[in-house]
Amino acid sequence: MKHQQHSYYLPVQQYQLHIRRLLPLHQPNGVVLMLHGAIENGRIFYSSSGKGLGGYLADQGFAVYCADFAGRGRSLPHSSSGFNHSQQQLICQDIPALIQHLQQAHHQKVHLIAHSWGGVLAAASLCRHPELLPLVESKVCFGSKRRIRAQSLEKRFKVDFIWNRLGPWLAAKHGYFPAKRLRLGADDEPKQFLQDCIAWIEQDAFVDCSDGFDYAAAAKQITWPHLWHFVAEKDRVLGHPDDVQAFMAETSQQQARYTHLGKANGALVDYDHISMLTHPLAVEDHFPKLAEWLRTLSRG
């Protein structure tokens, strides 16, 4: 392991966001902010032993910051304590605070790397707050989609039953969605966030659940930073290639680089929604290509 790790907290409103900082042993050659998806936390990107995309990029010389969203991971307080949190708070408060915090710490543009729903939230935040765009060098998404249209038995179980029906019932009963305790995900979800997420998956229009802000319309008015979308061959529900491409189209991101991670396209493995970030062979496959691309952008 060619980097050091430690945790600290960023106060936002009445809560604190946990950030895991992974710093190379020499002067960083770029800054990366990692944003996780639903029913997970920042650990999707790193481990204490250095595994994961976050550890890999830190070993390659990047200053990497893996955030836990409010109520998740080691952020305080946790959803289980009765703490509630909405998508709009993430979009309008938390993500801007994280980007501005890193820009002030390093005085250089930030590379955003997001998994799954984190990519939707990152896009929404940049659409709603275009003043952040000059602070962002690139946005990379792994399996990020807004709507889930692909139909299968897996989709009917994971999305239609677990997420759309069981999740709200459990959230109403407990005050939050206890996904981790029930082994339905890596972390719990605040009740309001779950409701907002379900609404976006189901509705055609990409508009805010709280005030109706039109993110799709705003996306047409901005100039995106450098973009790269990854999809996985075995990701047939949570980041289906068709759904990812639909998300790219509705946010006017058709100019993005697009990589399908599967053996038929030259990858070492037919990856799935999680393994494209966690598989041991990823460090020989797409991680080096991503690191070189980020390095080139950081050099200007």
Side-chain angles (χ1 to χ4, degrees):
M1 193 165 74
K2 302 176 183 178
H3 67 272
Q4 298 177 336
Q5 297 187 20
H6 74 276
S7 294
Y8 69 99
Y9 289 85
L10 178 67
V12 180
Q13 298 296 322
Q14 303 302 312
Y15 47 91
Q16 299 182 65
L17 302 180
H18 169 256
I19 300 173
R20 188 69 170 181
R21 177 162 52 193
L22 294 75
L23 293 179
L25 302 181
H26 53 77
Q27 184 67 24
N29 56 25
V31 181
V32 175
L33 171 60
M34 295 186 153
L35 304 173
H36 63 80
I39 54 173
E40 63 184 28
N41 54 54
R43 291 299 295 268
I44 188 69
F45 296 114
Y46 74 93
S47 69
S48 57
S49 63
K51 295 178 181 179
L53 179 56
Y56 179 84
L57 291 178
D59 285 346
Q60 297 300 309
F62 293 90
V64 179
Y65 295 79
C66 303
D68 288 338
F69 290 154
R72 293 79 152 181
R74 294 167 63 182
S75 291
L76 300 173
H78 192 266
S79 300
S80 59
S81 66
F83 172 77
N84 208 359
H85 191 256
S86 69
Q87 273 194 163
Q88 191 185 71
Q89 286 175 287
L90 257 171
I91 292 165
C92 295
Q93 298 175 14
D94 302 0
I95 293 176
L98 288 163
I99 293 173
Q100 291 164 354
H101 168 67
L102 296 190
Q103 203 282 329
Q104 292 167 5
H106 291 274
H107 303 287
Q108 59 181 285
K109 292 185 177 182
V110 175
H111 299 287
L112 291 179
I113 297 181
H115 180 231
S116 196
W117 202 252
V120 179
L121 299 172
S125 189
L126 294 178
C127 287
R128 184 137 192 173
H129 299 280
E131 68 276 9
L132 297 174
L133 289 165
L135 309 181
V136 177
E137 186 68 61
S138 69
K139 184 169 76 70
V140 180
C141 295
F142 287 86
S144 293
K145 80 293 162 196
R146 183 181 68 83
R147 298 209 63 198
I148 300 179
R149 294 170 175 166
Q151 296 298 318
S152 65
L153 287 174
E154 184 182 5
K155 187 263 183 179
R156 285 197 284 272
F157 178 70
K158 288 184 176 179
V159 179
D160 298 340
F161 176 66
I162 297 294
W163 190 249
N164 291 354
R165 298 183 62 184
L166 181 62
W169 181 79
L170 290 171
K173 179 179 180 181
H174 298 282
Y176 71 104
F177 179 26
K180 183 177 181 180
R181 176 159 59 88
L182 299 176
R183 298 184 179 180
L184 298 174
D187 211 329
D188 304 322
E189 287 293 355
K191 179 180 178 181
Q192 187 60 54
F193 181 89
L194 173 68
Q195 294 172 347
D196 295 343
C197 182
I198 290 172
W200 269 8
I201 290 173
E202 294 298 313
Q203 69 188 29
D204 289 331
F206 190 15
V207 299
D208 196 271
C209 300
S210 300
D211 61 12
F213 181 89
D214 192 329
Y215 294 101
K220 297 177 181 179
Q221 306 301 317
I222 66 174
T223 300
W224 288 104
H226 301 281
L227 302 167
W228 196 344
H229 282 263
F230 289 88
V231 298
E233 175 63 27
K234 290 186 176 180
D235 193 353
R236 311 312 296 172
V237 176
L238 300 179
H240 191 285
D242 291 347
D243 292 335
V244 170
Q245 291 176 19
F247 171 60
M248 293 167 61
E250 78 172 348
T251 52
S252 303
Q253 296 186 41
Q254 295 95 326
Q255 75 277 23
R257 295 184 67 166
Y258 178 84
T259 297
H260 190 124
L261 297 172
K263 291 180 179 179
N265 297 296
L268 297 174
V269 177
D270 284 332
Y271 296 93
D272 62 27
H273 194 64
I274 300 299
S275 68
M276 59 179 157
L277 289 175
T278 62
H279 198 285
L281 288 179
V283 300
E284 303 173 25
D285 212 344
H286 48 288
F287 285 8
K289 298 170 186 175
L290 175 58
E292 183 55 34
W293 185 72
L294 296 176
R295 192 177 295 115
T296 300
L297 293 179
S298 292
R299 290 176 185 149

